[in-house]
Amino acid sequence: SQQGEEDPQALSIQEGENATMNCSYKTSINNLQWYRQNSGRGLVHLILIRSNEREKHSGRLRVTLDTSKKSSSLLITASRAADTASYFCAYNTGANSKLTFGKGITLSVRP
Amino acid sequence: SAVISQKPSRDICQRGTSLTIQCQVDSQVTMMFWYRQQPGQSLTLIATANQGSEATYESGFVIDKFPISRPNLTFSTLTVSNMSPEDSSIYLCSVGEGRDTQYFGPGTRLTVL
């Protein structure tokens, strides 16, 4: 399967702590994206990092990409209870617009 | 970013029946996609909805089971035909331009009894 793999599958932290989620993939990619899904609702796009970028920031989010290791990490700093959700990485291989999604990580932030 | 709506937001259906899900975008977009998310699982691409031509289906999905229409650049429908309980999932449409960000609708939660 070409599906991405995230780890850990589930993460539980205290409010205020940082949360780090990892994603690995198996093919060459054009870009990698992270999405959040609250309680089985629609996906919210968080951040996109291109294959020629190594790090990107957006507010409390920091994404890194290591194409040599075929891996990416999403760091959420100073977590809040509202960050409780499922997080998915998804990547585009460049052949077309299709995205391949990872299995997802469930993040719980305890107040 | 595009604003996407889906109808219905949820439905409970009897096995053997069909349900058509609508996806409406507030602007013209080139690419529209349909995904399925089975309970507790990740998203799997069903097909790319092509305007003016037949949809492009991914491996494991066929037109007879998931017919798709895309009459213009802002609207698409996905029909789940002859449903069984295994079709119980969230169905999501998304839109994108080029190889960049895809934006997702709120999803349709389908339960088949």
Side-chain angles (χ1 to χ4, degrees), chain B residues 11-78:
Chain B
D11 207 341
I12 300 173
C13 301
Q14 297 297 320
R15 68 170 67 212
T17 62
S18 297
L19 176 72
T20 295
I21 302 167
Q22 299 178 5
C23 179
Q24 179 75 54
V25 191
D26 68 342
S27 59
Q28 293 187 343
V29 292
T30 305
M31 311 296 295
M32 293 184 78
F33 305 91
W34 286 98
Y35 290 82
R36 180 177 72 182
Q37 185 178 26
Q38 295 176 300
Q41 303 296 314
S42 185
L43 280 75
T44 301
L45 180 64
I46 297 172
T48 302
N50 301 309
Q51 194 266 330
S53 64
E54 195 171 283
T56 304
Y57 289 84
E58 297 299 304
S59 175
F61 297 96
V62 295
I63 188 171
D64 289 346
K65 177 66 176 177
F66 297 102
I68 288 171
S69 78
R70 181 146 183 222
N72 55 52
L73 292 176
T74 64
F75 185 79
S76 178
T77 67
L78 168 74

Coordinates of all heavy atoms in Angstrom, one line a residue, chain B residues 11-78:
Chain B
D11 N -27.8 10.8 6.8 CA -29.0 10.1 6.4 C -28.9 8.6 6.9 O -27.8 8.1 7.0 CB -29.2 10.1 4.9 CG -30.6 10.0 4.5 OD1 -31.5 9.5 5.3 OD2 -31.0 10.3 3.3
I12 N -30.0 8.1 7.1 CA -30.1 6.7 7.5 C -31.0 6.0 6.4 O -32.1 6.4 6.2 CB -30.8 6.5 8.9 CG1 -30.0 7.2 10.0 CG2 -30.9 5.0 9.2 CD1 -30.6 7.3 11.3
C13 N -30.4 5.0 5.8 CA -31.1 4.4 4.7 C -31.2 2.9 4.8 O -30.5 2.3 5.6 CB -30.3 4.7 3.4 SG -30.1 6.4 3.0
Q14 N -32.2 2.4 4.1 CA -32.4 0.9 4.1 C -31.5 0.3 3.1 O -31.3 0.8 2.0 CB -33.9 0.6 3.9 CG -34.8 1.1 4.9 CD -34.6 0.5 6.3 OE1 -34.3 -0.7 6.4 NE2 -34.6 1.3 7.3
R15 N -31.1 -1.0 3.4 CA -30.3 -1.7 2.4 C -31.0 -1.9 1.1 O -32.3 -2.0 1.1 CB -29.8 -3.0 2.9 CG -30.9 -4.0 3.1 CD -30.3 -5.4 3.5 NE -29.6 -5.4 4.7 CZ -28.6 -6.2 5.0 NH1 -28.0 -6.9 4.1 NH2 -28.0 -6.1 6.2
G16 N -30.3 -1.8 0.0 CA -30.9 -2.0 -1.3 C -31.4 -0.7 -2.0 O -31.7 -0.7 -3.2
T17 N -31.4 0.4 -1.2 CA -31.8 1.6 -1.8 C -30.6 2.4 -2.2 O -29.4 2.0 -2.0 CB -32.6 2.5 -0.7 OG1 -31.8 2.8 0.4 CG2 -33.8 1.7 -0.3
S18 N -30.8 3.6 -2.8 CA -29.7 4.4 -3.3 C -29.8 5.8 -2.7 O -30.9 6.3 -2.4 CB -29.7 4.5 -4.8 OG -29.5 3.3 -5.4
L19 N -28.7 6.5 -2.5 CA -28.7 7.8 -2.0 C -27.8 8.7 -2.9 O -26.7 8.3 -3.2 CB -28.2 7.9 -0.6 CG -28.0 9.3 0.1 CD1 -29.4 9.8 0.4 CD2 -27.1 9.2 1.3
T20 N -28.3 9.9 -3.2 CA -27.5 10.8 -4.0 C -27.0 12.0 -3.1 O -27.9 12.6 -2.4 CB -28.3 11.4 -5.2 OG1 -28.5 10.3 -6.1 CG2 -27.4 12.4 -5.9
I21 N -25.7 12.2 -3.1 CA -25.1 13.3 -2.3 C -24.7 14.4 -3.2 O -24.1 14.2 -4.2 CB -23.9 12.7 -1.5 CG1 -24.3 11.5 -0.6 CG2 -23.3 13.8 -0.7 CD1 -23.1 10.7 -0.1
Q22 N -25.1 15.6 -2.8 CA -24.7 16.8 -3.6 C -23.6 17.5 -3.0 O -23.4 17.7 -1.8 CB -25.9 17.7 -3.7 CG -27.1 17.1 -4.3 CD -28.3 18.0 -4.4 OE1 -28.2 19.2 -4.0 NE2 -29.5 17.6 -4.8
C23 N -22.7 18.1 -3.8 CA -21.6 18.9 -3.4 C -21.7 20.2 -4.2 O -21.6 20.2 -5.5 CB -20.3 18.2 -3.7 SG -18.8 19.1 -3.2
Q24 N -21.7 21.3 -3.5 CA -21.8 22.7 -4.2 C -20.7 23.5 -3.7 O -20.4 23.6 -2.5 CB -23.2 23.3 -3.8 CG -23.4 24.7 -4.4 CD -23.7 24.6 -5.9 OE1 -24.7 24.0 -6.3 NE2 -23.0 25.4 -6.7
V25 N -20.0 24.2 -4.7 CA -18.9 25.1 -4.4 C -19.3 26.5 -4.7 O -20.0 26.7 -5.7 CB -17.7 24.6 -5.2 CG1 -16.4 25.4 -4.7 CG2 -17.5 23.1 -5.1
D26 N -18.8 27.4 -4.0 CA -19.2 28.8 -4.2 C -18.4 29.5 -5.3 O -18.5 30.7 -5.6 CB -19.0 29.6 -2.9 CG -17.6 29.8 -2.5 OD1 -16.7 29.1 -2.9 OD2 -17.4 30.7 -1.6
S27 N -17.5 28.8 -6.0 CA -16.7 29.3 -7.1 C -16.3 28.2 -8.0 O -16.4 27.0 -7.7 CB -15.4 30.0 -6.6 OG -14.6 29.1 -5.9
Q28 N -16.0 28.6 -9.2 CA -15.6 27.6 -10.2 C -14.3 26.9 -9.9 O -13.3 27.7 -9.6 CB -15.6 28.2 -11.6 CG -17.0 28.6 -12.1 CD -16.9 29.1 -13.6 OE1 -15.9 29.4 -14.1 NE2 -18.1 29.2 -14.2
V29 N -14.2 25.6 -9.9 CA -13.0 24.9 -9.6 C -12.7 23.9 -10.7 O -13.7 23.3 -11.3 CB -13.1 24.2 -8.2 CG1 -13.1 25.3 -7.1 CG2 -14.3 23.3 -8.1
T30 N -11.5 23.6 -10.9 CA -11.1 22.6 -11.9 C -11.3 21.2 -11.4 O -11.9 20.4 -12.1 CB -9.6 22.8 -12.3 OG1 -9.4 24.2 -12.7 CG2 -9.3 21.9 -13.4
M31 N -10.8 20.9 -10.2 CA -10.8 19.5 -9.7 C -11.8 19.4 -8.6 O -11.9 20.2 -7.7 CB -9.4 19.2 -9.2 CG -8.3 19.5 -10.1 SD -8.3 18.6 -11.7 CE -8.1 16.9 -11.1
M32 N -12.6 18.3 -8.7 CA -13.5 17.9 -7.6 C -13.3 16.4 -7.4 O -13.1 15.6 -8.4 CB -14.9 18.2 -8.0 CG -15.3 19.7 -8.0 SD -17.0 20.0 -8.3 CE -17.7 19.7 -6.7
F33 N -13.2 16.0 -6.1 CA -13.0 14.7 -5.7 C -14.0 14.2 -4.8 O -14.6 15.0 -4.0 CB -11.6 14.6 -5.1 CG -10.5 15.1 -5.9 CD1 -10.1 16.4 -5.7 CD2 -9.7 14.3 -6.7 CE1 -9.0 16.9 -6.5 CE2 -8.7 14.8 -7.5 CZ -8.3 16.1 -7.3
W34 N -14.2 12.9 -4.8 CA -15.1 12.2 -3.8 C -14.3 11.2 -3.0 O -13.6 10.4 -3.6 CB -16.3 11.6 -4.4 CG -17.3 12.5 -4.9 CD1 -17.5 13.0 -6.2 CD2 -18.3 13.1 -4.2 NE1 -18.5 13.9 -6.3 CE2 -19.1 14.0 -5.0 CE3 -18.7 13.1 -2.8 CZ2 -20.2 14.7 -4.6 CZ3 -19.8 13.8 -2.4 CH2 -20.5 14.6 -3.3
Y35 N -14.4 11.3 -1.6 CA -13.7 10.4 -0.8 C -14.7 9.6 0.1 O -15.8 10.1 0.4 CB -12.8 11.1 0.2 CG -11.6 11.8 -0.5 CD1 -11.7 13.0 -1.1 CD2 -10.3 11.1 -0.4 CE1 -10.5 13.6 -1.7 CE2 -9.2 11.7 -1.0 CZ -9.3 12.9 -1.6 OH -8.2 13.5 -2.2
R36 N -14.3 8.5 0.6 CA -15.1 7.7 1.5 C -14.2 7.5 2.8 O -13.0 7.3 2.7 CB -15.4 6.3 1.0 CG -16.2 5.5 2.0 CD -16.6 4.1 1.4 NE -15.5 3.3 1.2 CZ -15.5 2.0 0.7 NH1 -16.7 1.6 0.2 NH2 -14.5 1.3 0.6
Q37 N -14.8 7.7 4.0 CA -14.1 7.5 5.2 C -15.0 6.5 6.0 O -16.0 6.8 6.6 CB -14.0 8.8 6.0 CG -13.1 8.6 7.3 CD -12.9 9.9 8.0 OE1 -13.7 10.8 7.9 NE2 -11.8 10.0 8.8
Q38 N -14.5 5.3 6.1 CA -15.2 4.2 6.8 C -15.0 4.5 8.3 O -14.0 5.1 8.7 CB -14.8 2.9 6.4 CG -15.2 2.6 4.9 CD -14.7 1.3 4.4 OE1 -13.5 1.0 4.4 NE2 -15.6 0.4 4.0
P39 N -15.9 4.0 9.2 CA -15.8 4.2 10.6 C -14.4 4.0 11.2 O -13.8 2.9 11.0 CB -16.8 3.3 11.2 CG -17.8 3.1 10.1 CD -17.0 3.1 8.8
G40 N -13.8 5.0 11.8 CA -12.5 4.9 12.4 C -11.4 4.8 11.5 O -10.2 4.5 11.9
Q41 N -11.6 5.0 10.2 CA -10.5 4.9 9.2 C -10.1 6.2 8.6 O -10.7 7.2 8.9 CB -11.0 3.9 8.1 CG -11.4 2.5 8.6 CD -10.3 1.8 9.2 OE1 -9.2 1.7 8.6 NE2 -10.5 1.2 10.4
S42 N -9.2 6.1 7.7 CA -8.7 7.3 7.0 C -9.6 7.5 5.8 O -10.5 6.8 5.5 CB -7.2 7.1 6.6 OG -6.8 8.3 6.0
L43 N -9.2 8.5 5.0 CA -10.0 8.8 3.7 C -9.4 8.0 2.6 O -8.2 7.8 2.4 CB -9.8 10.2 3.4 CG -10.7 11.2 4.2 CD1 -10.2 11.4 5.6 CD2 -10.8 12.5 3.4
T44 N -10.3 7.5 1.8 CA -10.0 6.8 0.5 C -10.6 7.5 -0.6 O -11.8 7.7 -0.6 CB -10.4 5.3 0.6 OG1 -9.8 4.6 1.7 CG2 -10.0 4.5 -0.7
L45 N -9.8 7.8 -1.6 CA -10.4 8.4 -2.8 C -11.2 7.5 -3.6 O -10.8 6.4 -4.0 CB -9.2 9.0 -3.7 CG -9.6 9.7 -4.9 CD1 -10.4 11.0 -4.6 CD2 -8.4 10.0 -5.8
I46 N -12.5 7.9 -3.9 CA -13.4 7.1 -4.7 C -13.1 7.4 -6.2 O -12.9 6.5 -7.0 CB -14.8 7.4 -4.4 CG1 -15.1 7.0 -3.0 CG2 -15.8 6.7 -5.4 CD1 -16.5 7.4 -2.5
A47 N -13.2 8.7 -6.5 CA -13.0 9.1 -7.9 C -12.8 10.6 -8.0 O -13.0 11.4 -7.1 CB -14.3 8.7 -8.7
T48 N -12.3 11.0 -9.2 CA -12.2 12.4 -9.6 C -13.4 12.7 -10.5 O -13.6 12.0 -11.5 CB -10.9 12.6 -10.4 OG1 -9.8 12.2 -9.5 CG2 -10.7 14.1 -10.7
A49 N -14.1 13.7 -10.1 CA -15.3 14.1 -10.9 C -14.8 15.1 -12.0 O -14.3 16.2 -11.7 CB -16.3 14.8 -10.0
N50 N -15.0 14.7 -13.3 CA -14.5 15.5 -14.4 C -15.7 16.2 -15.0 O -16.7 15.6 -15.3 CB -13.9 14.6 -15.4 CG -12.7 13.8 -14.9 OD1 -11.8 14.4 -14.3 ND2 -12.7 12.5 -15.0
Q51 N -15.6 17.5 -15.2 CA -16.6 18.3 -15.8 C -16.8 17.9 -17.3 O -15.8 18.0 -18.1 CB -16.4 19.7 -15.7 CG -17.6 20.6 -15.9 CD -17.6 21.2 -17.3 OE1 -16.6 21.3 -17.9 NE2 -18.8 21.4 -17.9
G52 N -18.0 17.5 -17.7 CA -18.3 17.2 -19.1 C -17.8 15.8 -19.6 O -18.0 15.5 -20.7
S53 N -17.3 15.0 -18.7 CA -16.9 13.7 -19.1 C -17.0 12.7 -17.9 O -17.3 13.1 -16.8 CB -15.5 13.6 -19.6 OG -14.6 14.0 -18.6
E54 N -16.8 11.4 -18.2 CA -17.0 10.4 -17.1 C -16.0 10.6 -16.0 O -14.8 11.0 -16.3 CB -16.9 9.0 -17.8 CG -17.4 7.9 -16.9 CD -17.4 6.6 -17.7 OE1 -18.4 6.4 -18.5 OE2 -16.5 5.8 -17.5
A55 N -16.4 10.3 -14.8 CA -15.5 10.4 -13.7 C -14.4 9.3 -13.8 O -14.5 8.3 -14.5 CB -16.2 10.1 -12.4
T56 N -13.3 9.6 -13.2 CA -12.1 8.7 -13.2 C -12.1 8.0 -11.8 O -11.9 8.6 -10.8 CB -10.8 9.5 -13.3 OG1 -10.9 10.2 -14.6 CG2 -9.6 8.5 -13.4
Y57 N -12.3 6.7 -11.8 CA -12.5 5.9 -10.6 C -11.1 5.3 -10.2 O -10.3 4.9 -11.0 CB -13.5 4.8 -10.8 CG -14.9 5.4 -10.9 CD1 -15.4 5.9 -12.1 CD2 -15.7 5.5 -9.7 CE1 -16.7 6.4 -12.2 CE2 -17.0 6.0 -9.8 CZ -17.5 6.5 -11.0 OH -18.7 7.1 -11.1
E58 N -11.0 5.2 -8.9 CA -9.8 4.5 -8.3 C -10.1 3.0 -8.2 O -11.2 2.5 -8.3 CB -9.5 5.1 -6.9 CG -9.2 6.5 -6.9 CD -8.0 6.9 -7.7 OE1 -6.9 6.3 -7.4 OE2 -8.0 7.7 -8.6
S59 N -9.0 2.3 -8.1 CA -9.1 0.9 -8.0 C -10.0 0.5 -6.8 O -9.9 1.0 -5.7 CB -7.7 0.3 -7.7 OG -7.7 -1.1 -7.5
G60 N -10.9 -0.4 -7.1 CA -11.8 -0.9 -6.1 C -13.2 -0.2 -6.1 O -14.1 -0.6 -5.4
F61 N -13.3 0.8 -6.9 CA -14.6 1.6 -7.0 C -15.0 1.5 -8.5 O -14.2 1.7 -9.4 CB -14.4 3.0 -6.6 CG -14.0 3.1 -5.1 CD1 -12.7 3.2 -4.7 CD2 -15.0 3.1 -4.1 CE1 -12.3 3.3 -3.4 CE2 -14.6 3.2 -2.8 CZ -13.3 3.3 -2.4
V62 N -16.3 1.3 -8.7 CA -16.9 1.2 -10.0 C -18.0 2.1 -10.2 O -18.8 2.4 -9.3 CB -17.3 -0.3 -10.4 CG1 -16.0 -1.2 -10.4 CG2 -18.3 -0.8 -9.4
I63 N -18.3 2.5 -11.5 CA -19.3 3.4 -11.8 C -20.7 2.9 -11.5 O -21.6 3.7 -11.1 CB -19.2 3.9 -13.3 CG1 -20.1 5.0 -13.6 CG2 -19.5 2.7 -14.2 CD1 -19.9 5.6 -15.0
D64 N -20.9 1.6 -11.6 CA -22.3 1.1 -11.3 C -22.6 1.3 -9.9 O -23.8 1.5 -9.5 CB -22.3 -0.4 -11.7 CG -22.3 -0.6 -13.2 OD1 -22.5 0.4 -13.9 OD2 -22.1 -1.7 -13.7
K65 N -21.7 1.2 -9.0 CA -21.9 1.3 -7.6 C -21.9 2.8 -7.1 O -22.7 3.2 -6.3 CB -20.8 0.6 -6.8 CG -20.9 0.7 -5.3 CD -22.2 0.0 -4.7 CE -22.1 0.1 -3.2 NZ -23.4 -0.5 -2.6
F66 N -21.0 3.6 -7.7 CA -20.9 5.0 -7.3 C -20.9 5.9 -8.5 O -19.9 6.6 -8.9 CB -19.5 5.2 -6.6 CG -19.4 4.4 -5.3 CD1 -18.6 3.3 -5.3 CD2 -19.9 4.9 -4.2 CE1 -18.5 2.5 -4.1 CE2 -19.8 4.2 -3.0 CZ -19.1 3.0 -2.9
P67 N -22.1 6.0 -9.2 CA -22.2 6.9 -10.3 C -22.0 8.4 -9.9 O -22.5 8.8 -8.8 CB -23.6 6.7 -10.9 CG -24.3 6.0 -9.8 CD -23.3 5.2 -9.0
I68 N -21.3 9.1 -10.7 CA -20.9 10.5 -10.3 C -21.3 11.4 -11.5 O -21.1 11.0 -12.7 CB -19.4 10.7 -10.1 CG1 -19.0 10.0 -8.7 CG2 -19.0 12.1 -10.1 CD1 -17.5 9.9 -8.5
S69 N -21.9 12.6 -11.2 CA -22.1 13.5 -12.2 C -21.4 14.8 -11.9 O -21.1 15.1 -10.7 CB -23.6 13.8 -12.3 OG -24.1 14.7 -11.3
R70 N -21.0 15.6 -12.9 CA -20.4 16.9 -12.7 C -20.9 17.7 -13.9 O -20.1 17.9 -14.9 CB -18.9 16.8 -12.7 CG -18.4 18.2 -12.4 CD -17.2 18.2 -11.6 NE -16.8 19.6 -11.4 CZ -15.5 20.1 -11.5 NH1 -14.5 19.2 -11.7 NH2 -15.3 21.4 -11.3
P71 N -22.1 18.3 -13.8 CA -22.6 19.1 -15.0 C -21.9 20.4 -15.2 O -22.0 21.0 -16.3 CB -24.1 19.3 -14.6 CG -24.1 19.2 -13.1 CD -23.0 18.2 -12.7
N72 N -21.3 21.0 -14.2 CA -20.6 22.3 -14.3 C -19.4 22.4 -13.4 O -19.1 21.4 -12.7 CB -21.6 23.4 -14.1 CG -22.3 23.4 -12.8 OD1 -21.6 23.3 -11.8 ND2 -23.6 23.4 -12.8
L73 N -18.8 23.5 -13.3 CA -17.6 23.7 -12.5 C -17.8 24.0 -11.0 O -16.9 24.2 -10.3 CB -16.7 24.8 -13.1 CG -16.1 24.5 -14.5 CD1 -15.3 25.7 -15.0 CD2 -15.2 23.3 -14.4
T74 N -19.1 24.0 -10.6 CA -19.4 24.3 -9.2 C -20.2 23.2 -8.5 O -20.6 23.4 -7.4 CB -20.2 25.6 -9.1 OG1 -21.4 25.5 -9.8 CG2 -19.4 26.8 -9.7
F75 N -20.5 22.2 -9.2 CA -21.5 21.2 -8.7 C -21.2 19.8 -9.1 O -20.8 19.5 -10.2 CB -22.9 21.6 -9.1 CG -24.0 20.7 -8.5 CD1 -24.5 21.0 -7.3 CD2 -24.6 19.7 -9.3 CE1 -25.5 20.2 -6.7 CE2 -25.6 18.9 -8.7 CZ -26.1 19.2 -7.4
S76 N -21.4 18.8 -8.2 CA -21.2 17.4 -8.5 C -22.1 16.6 -7.6 O -22.5 17.1 -6.5 CB -19.7 17.0 -8.2 OG -19.5 15.6 -8.5
T77 N -22.5 15.4 -8.0 CA -23.2 14.5 -7.2 C -22.5 13.1 -7.2 O -21.9 12.7 -8.2 CB -24.7 14.3 -7.7 OG1 -24.7 13.7 -8.9 CG2 -25.4 15.6 -7.7
L78 N -22.7 12.5 -6.1 CA -22.2 11.1 -5.9 C -23.4 10.3 -5.5 O -24.1 10.6 -4.5 CB -21.1 11.0 -4.9 CG -20.8 9.6 -4.4 CD1 -19.9 8.8 -5.5 CD2 -20.0 9.6 -3.1

